[in-house]
Amino acid sequence: MLRTSCLKQIFITLSLLFFCFIGKAIAQDDKGIVEEHKSALIERLQKERMLLGSNSVLSSTDESSKPGVPLKTGRKVTARGYRVQIYSGSNRNEAYSAQARFKQIYKDLNTYVGYQQPNYRVKVGDFTSRSQAQALMSQLKRDFNSVFIFTETINVEY
């Protein structure tokens, strides 16, 4: 009785090893072949996200639009992005003065004045990529004393 149970265990162990070896050999036959199945909806979402993420120019199949025209559909959303802080201090008048100086130079960029006790903070821009914020920051360093990039929720129109 003890001998048959020992034989059964050996048989089961050898069978498992054999099937594992065969399974591994079969799996290696398809090495290097990758099949890609794409969903049209996911592909569309990826394209929209790419356009949002790069603020790139319109490259759609809409014949009424011309290449080189920024994509603006009038939809406003919030997203994670970057803003450049140009002022931080406890003086309210200095905060609004910094905002006014910035608006004279960059009329098209949005400005945001916030108050978190005890400081006022002036942040500018709604950038979807850090490199865009970095480019503005390098320009602003000569006109503003302390310039920093912050990651936060921004307003995006597309």
Side-chain angles (χ1 to χ4, degrees), residues 80-142:
R80 292 301 288 170
Y82 304 91
R83 287 195 178 132
V84 179
Q85 179 176 290
I86 60 171
Y87 175 81
S88 177
S90 60
N91 189 321
R92 180 179 180 208
N93 291 334
E94 286 181 13
Y96 284 106
S97 173
Q99 181 187 30
R101 276 192 304 140
F102 178 83
K103 282 305 249 181
Q104 287 178 343
I105 303 168
Y106 301 94
K107 293 173 180 39
D108 295 338
L109 291 177
N110 294 330
T111 61
Y112 304 92
V113 177
Y115 179 72
Q116 186 176 11
Q117 195 173 13
N119 291 322
Y120 289 90
R121 295 182 182 186
V122 181
K123 295 180 183 175
V124 298
D126 291 304
F127 301 107
T128 54
S129 73
R130 187 171 183 85
S131 62
Q132 293 170 330
Q134 190 76 36
L136 178 67
M137 187 176 92
S138 63
Q139 292 174 3
L140 293 175
K141 281 187 178 181
R142 59 184 166 214

Side-chain angles (χ1 to χ4, degrees), residues 16 31 66 91:
L16 286 174
K31 188 175 181 181
K66 297 177 183 173
N91 189 321

